[in-house]
Amino acid sequence: MDILLVEDNPGDVRLTQEAFKSIDSEIEFHTVADGEAATRYFDVCGTDTERVDPDLVLLDLNLPRIDGFRILEILKEELDYPPPPILVLSSSETEADIVESYERAANAYLTKPDTPDEFDMLAQAIEDFWIDSARHPPAPS
C-alpha cells in the first residue's frame, strides 16, 4: 500500500509515519511538502515508471505554493482517471473548511490529533476502513 502524504510540517510527517509503524502497517510513504510538488507528483505518476501511483492521499489544507483546496480541484478537473481516495488531514475544525473540502471531492475530512496516542488511533482507523475494507477505483493503466 502506497500513501502520498502531502504535509509541510516535519513534525506532523514524523507523527503520521510513526503512527502507521506502531500498528505494524505495511505502508510505503511518499511525502511532498507543498501543493506544487503534490500536483507534479501526479503528473509524474502518469508518465514516469519510477514513481508509484498512490493508493491513498493524506492531504493537509494549509500548504505553501498551492493549498489543499486547489489540489483537490486540480485532481478532480485534470486527471483522466479517478484519483485515489483523498483524506484531508487538517488542524482546522472550521465548518467552512470541512464543507469546502467535501465540495471539492475529498473522500473524508479528518482533524489532526493532538497526541501521539491519538495519531496511532487515527492510523488504525484509516487502515481498518480505507485500506482493509473500502474498495478503491482501479489504478490507471
Side-chain angles (χ1 to χ4, degrees), residues 83-130:
I86 302 171
L87 314 184
V88 171
L89 184 57
S90 177
S91 57
S92 172
E93 294 182 27
T94 65
E95 191 173 301
D97 286 347
I98 296 167
V99 169
E100 188 170 353
S101 294
Y102 282 112
E103 285 176 348
R104 295 180 188 221
N107 296 94
Y109 191 99
L110 308 167
T111 304
K112 286 182 185 174
D114 294 323
T115 68
D117 286 342
E118 290 173 347
F119 262 97
D120 292 351
M121 290 183 341
L122 181 63
Q124 186 66 61
I126 290 170
E127 178 160 319
D128 289 346
F129 182 78
W130 290 102

Side-chain angles (χ1 to χ4, degrees), residues 38-128:
T39 59
R40 278 197 319 270
Y41 188 93
F42 279 93
D43 286 344
V44 172
C45 282
T47 60
D48 185 346
T49 57
E50 293 182 28
R51 286 281 179 113
V52 176
D53 289 312
D55 298 302
L56 187 75
V57 177
L58 297 177
L59 174 67
D60 188 21
L61 292 178
N62 299 312
L63 298 165
R65 296 195 180 103
I66 298 173
D67 70 19
F69 294 121
R70 183 68 184 126
I71 292 169
L72 287 167
E73 250 179 42
I74 290 169
L75 294 180
K76 182 179 176 185
E77 293 170 359
E78 295 187 14
L79 287 182
D80 293 335
Y81 56 89
I86 302 171
L87 314 184
V88 171
L89 184 57
S90 177
S91 57
S92 172
E93 294 182 27
T94 65
E95 191 173 301
D97 286 347
I98 296 167
V99 169
E100 188 170 353
S101 294
Y102 282 112
E103 285 176 348
R104 295 180 188 221
N107 296 94
Y109 191 99
L110 308 167
T111 304
K112 286 182 185 174
D114 294 323
T115 68
D117 286 342
E118 290 173 347
F119 262 97
D120 292 351
M121 290 183 341
L122 181 63
Q124 186 66 61
I126 290 170
E127 178 160 319
D128 289 346

